[in-house]
Amino acid sequence: MDKADDLISPSFEAVLMKMEPVDGAQIMDYIKTHALLTREKALLQSSVREQKKLLVENGKLKKDIEDLRLQLQDKQKRRLAKALFSPAPPPPQTGPASTDSPANQPAQERRDGQRKRRDRKIQSGTGSELLGATPRMDVSRLDLRVGRVLSAQSHAQSLSIQEVDVGEPAPRTVVSKLGTNVQLDQLSGAMVVLICNGKARKLRGVVSKARLVCCSQSKDCIELLTPPPGSMPGDRITFLNFPGEADKELPSKERVFERLQPDLCVDAKGVAQYKGCAFEVKGKGLCRAPTLINCSIR
């Protein structure tokens, strides 16, 4: 009770013992015990307040550290972008000639042109190599869709022209070389598979805006790949193991389809596949060759 004795005045204890000589000592012990508990409670409450205060300050410090980390990352990104896109420094002058002299203008123009082309590539998404990224090369880059042939007619040099509904406001014109075993008069209304993000090109005077996907065993043995029953124009063909997004337009220089073609085939069950993964219209089924098996896709 030493600590409690400090809280109780000696004069108070003397008065109490004089008033209650029998029970005074017991009452005094009770008062001292109560005083001690009150003091400990006050100390505990003060400790809790200090702990809460420390927790709040700790949270503020964590937030400040996170803000500083984000600012540092932002500065690093800006420095990297500045280093990538800043023009190359001019070559050192070996004489008194000015950089605006006619002899220096062609080199400066070439540098400006190279910088502009590089900027356009990065803005269009085709300059990923400049930023250290390697573009993926798999079938998910192809925009494969279901289409319905509205009409078909022959064209110059064994080519044919099809008007195909691919779920857009207007049909697409497709110029194809289908071989002699494909009967054009039987194509109207047929459901087909097309590559819709190839660059439009003019073939014998007609601009082709898509490519029919065919399977073939030889030059003349060709069939059009068919989507599953219930498919509608505009349905997308996807691949379970290759979920990436299709390119807006396939870069001509990369020759994406030609590089993927060795892994495109029709298996022994007639199912079209890429590296063992089937052409699929979600919820409707798989794309197949009408009769051919174990053949290539082109």
Side-chain angles (χ1 to χ4, degrees), residues 285-298:
L286 309 179
C287 299
R288 301 175 180 271
T291 63
L292 296 178
I293 60 172
N294 296 324
C295 60
S296 62
I297 290 177
R298 68 173 185 82

Side-chain angles (χ1 to χ4, degrees), residues 89-261:
Q93 296 292 329
T94 57
S98 170
T99 55
D100 295 331
S101 64
N104 290 331
Q105 284 181 356
Q108 183 65 37
E109 290 175 358
R110 285 196 299 272
R111 286 194 296 271
D112 291 343
Q114 290 173 354
R115 186 173 67 253
K116 289 178 181 179
R117 286 192 295 272
R118 180 185 63 192
D119 293 344
R120 284 198 298 269
K121 283 184 178 180
I122 292 172
Q123 291 173 1
S124 63
T126 60
S128 54
E129 295 87 349
L130 297 175
L131 298 177
T134 302
R136 74 183 189 282
M137 185 56 64
D138 63 57
V139 73
S140 65
R141 294 185 63 180
L142 303 180
D143 182 5
L144 290 161
R145 296 191 222 169
V146 174
R148 178 186 285 114
V149 179
L150 303 178
S151 64
Q153 60 182 0
S154 59
H155 191 46
Q157 293 187 350
S158 71
L159 297 176
S160 60
I161 301 174
Q162 295 81 38
E163 295 293 325
V164 187
D165 176 12
V166 291
E168 297 173 336
R172 293 202 183 199
T173 301
V174 183
V175 180
S176 310
K177 188 173 184 178
L178 300 177
T180 56
N181 64 321
V182 177
Q183 303 298 319
L184 296 180
D185 56 353
Q186 297 178 5
L187 278 183
S188 182
M191 302 299 289
V192 293
V193 175
L194 302 98
I195 300 173
C196 294
N197 61 341
K199 189 173 182 179
R201 56 176 183 163
K202 184 178 287 189
L203 299 172
R204 294 296 173 181
V206 178
V207 177
S208 181
K209 298 180 180 179
R211 175 176 183 154
L212 286 173
V213 180
C214 307
C215 47
S216 65
Q217 286 181 333
S218 65
K219 183 178 179 180
D220 294 323
C221 187
I222 298 173
E223 291 182 349
L224 293 173
L225 199 65
T226 58
S231 298
M232 298 296 293
D235 283 350
R236 295 296 180 94
I237 287 87
T238 58
F239 301 82
L240 182 63
N241 297 338
F242 302 94
E245 289 293 328
D247 290 19
K248 185 175 181 181
E249 181 178 273
L250 296 174
S252 300
K253 292 182 179 180
E254 290 188 29
R255 300 179 63 82
V256 175
F257 181 75
E258 288 76 6
R259 293 167 66 180
L260 298 175
Q261 197 171 8

